[in-house]
Amino acid sequence: MPLQSILVSLSRRVALGVVVLWFTVTLTFAFLQIVPGDPAALLFGGDEIPTEEQLEEVRRDWGLERPVHEQYLLYIERLVHGDLGRSYQQRTEVATLLYSGVWSTVILAVAGLVLAVVISVPLATLTAGSSTLLRRFAFVFELVTISMPSFWIGIILILVFSFTLNWFPIVALDNPLSLVLPAATIALGLVGQLSQVMRESIERALKEPFILTARSRGLSDGSVRWGHALKHSYIPAATITGTFAGNVLTGVVVTETVFGRPGLGTITVAAITTHDIPLVLGVVIVSAAFFVLVNILVDLSYGLVDKRIGSSV
């Protein structure tokens, strides 16, 4: 893939990502404008009734005394400079609060995605085009994981592998093993759909003429599956993985709550509970940025696998 094609593709993806982020930011701003009541009281949040001095402080911080179009431009300017506002419940900058929890969440999300791929690839490759007992087991396993909500999966894993077998700790954050069960909870929520998409792609590839040619050259069934057919399942699998990026963050919020892990999940729950709107909006924007970044990386990876896609973007 030529360097020029990579740069052109990257520019297009980044431009599209900026549009998505702008749309998300605009919706968050519109939310503050259309909700009934005093926006300053909404931004202040909490159960206590704010004083007039506190409301004036909120209005100054958010520029609510200005016309709407000026408020919008000020909102955009602040976000461009990384200013997500201030949490009026925790009395600190939203960016500081999110930064303190984002890396724990990213590590958990990436670990869950990687584990989902590690499970799905052999499961789909070994069962594609077969009617063995393994295929039936895979079908039941996928159906169960798709049907079960993530918090239920997490509770079962805790009961079995922590309380009963005592294999993995739950809240020992200084122990790397404490990441296993939360990552497995996220992964199991993705494995069913991911392996089904990969299996369907592999089965289509196994019917193509190039597979017959490979078999006629004396290649074993395993070599055909792992060396040729699996490659053709990458693009649909990567596409659905990128689509799952937003769902992964949602699953992380639930998973961190179940396992008591610090991160964006616990921050989000606390923000919603205390009606801390600036903090909630900050989580929304960070989540949208994560979704955009993952999809840019997925789109760029297409060209590395299929040169025809790389030359056409």
Side-chain angles (χ1 to χ4, degrees):
M1 186 177 181
L3 178 59
Q4 183 178 2
S5 298
I6 296 178
L7 294 178
V8 171
S9 177
L10 179 61
S11 300
R12 291 178 179 176
R13 304 305 181 189
V14 170
L16 180 60
V18 170
V19 172
V20 172
L21 286 177
W22 168 80
F23 187 71
T24 303
V25 169
T26 302
L27 283 180
T28 59
F29 177 82
F31 167 77
L32 294 176
Q33 303 300 317
I34 63 177
V35 292
D38 186 355
L42 176 66
L43 287 166
F44 185 84
D47 297 325
E48 62 179 273
I49 300 178
T51 64
E52 188 59 35
E53 291 76 12
Q54 291 173 322
L55 292 179
E56 284 299 325
E57 179 186 3
V58 175
R59 294 188 182 99
R60 287 195 303 271
D61 288 346
W62 287 80
L64 296 178
E65 75 282 356
R66 304 185 183 188
V68 174
H69 69 279
E70 292 186 10
Q71 294 181 37
Y72 177 71
L73 294 177
L74 177 63
Y75 186 61
I76 295 293
E77 180 183 359
R78 291 173 57 178
L79 291 178
V80 169
H81 290 86
D83 184 1
L84 297 174
R86 185 162 62 93
S87 168
Y88 294 101
Q89 300 304 309
Q90 303 191 39
R91 300 296 176 180
T92 187
E93 297 296 321
V94 170
T96 302
L97 293 173
L98 295 181
Y99 183 80
S100 65
V102 68
W103 293 115
S104 175
T105 298
V106 168
I107 291 173
L108 178 56
V110 171
L113 282 173
V114 171
L115 184 58
V117 172
V118 169
I119 297 174
S120 299
V121 169
L123 187 64
T125 305
L126 295 174
T127 58
S130 67
S131 57
T132 61
L133 181 62
L134 180 61
R135 171 66 177 266
R136 297 188 183 93
F137 168 78
F139 175 78
V140 174
F141 175 72
E142 293 162 358
L143 181 62
V144 170
T145 56
I146 291 174
S147 304
M148 294 178 64
S150 58
F151 73 89
W152 185 242
I153 294 176
I155 292 175
I156 291 178
L157 292 179
I158 291 174
L159 290 175
V160 174
F161 295 101
S162 183
F163 292 167
T164 303
L165 298 177
N166 199 27
W167 287 0
F168 302 104
I170 301 178
V171 295
L173 299 181
D174 56 339
N175 189 342
L177 291 178
S178 66
L179 183 64
V180 174
L181 293 184
T185 301
I186 295 173
L188 291 176
L190 304 177
V191 163
Q193 298 180 60
L194 183 57
S195 59
Q196 287 181 356
V197 170
M198 293 187 66
R199 184 183 300 108
E200 182 179 350
S201 300
I202 293 174
E203 289 177 342
R204 284 200 304 265
L206 290 174
K207 299 176 182 178
E208 295 293 329
F210 72 89
I211 293 294
L212 180 60
T213 302
R215 294 187 188 276
S216 65
R217 290 162 46 195
L219 294 180
S220 65
D221 182 67
S223 298
V224 170
R225 289 173 179 269
W226 293 93
H228 295 274
L230 179 60
K231 178 180 178 180
H232 289 263
S233 70
Y234 172 79
I235 292 178
T239 300
I240 195 172
T241 300
T243 305
F244 284 160
N247 297 334
V248 166
L249 283 182
T250 303
V252 168
V253 170
V254 176
T255 302
E256 287 180 340
T257 303
V258 171
F259 287 88
R261 292 180 60 87
L264 291 184
T266 53
I267 291 175
T268 303
V269 172
I272 294 175
T273 303
T274 59
H275 309 289
D276 195 338
I277 298 300
L279 189 52
V280 173
L281 296 181
V283 172
V284 170
I285 294 171
V286 169
S287 300
F290 177 79
F291 181 82
V292 167
L293 177 61
V294 170
N295 280 273
I296 288 176
L297 295 176
V298 168
D299 289 344
L300 289 178
S301 69
Y302 293 162
L304 300 177
V305 176
D306 193 331
K307 303 301 181 183
R308 296 170 298 178
I309 296 179
S311 61
S312 62
V313 292

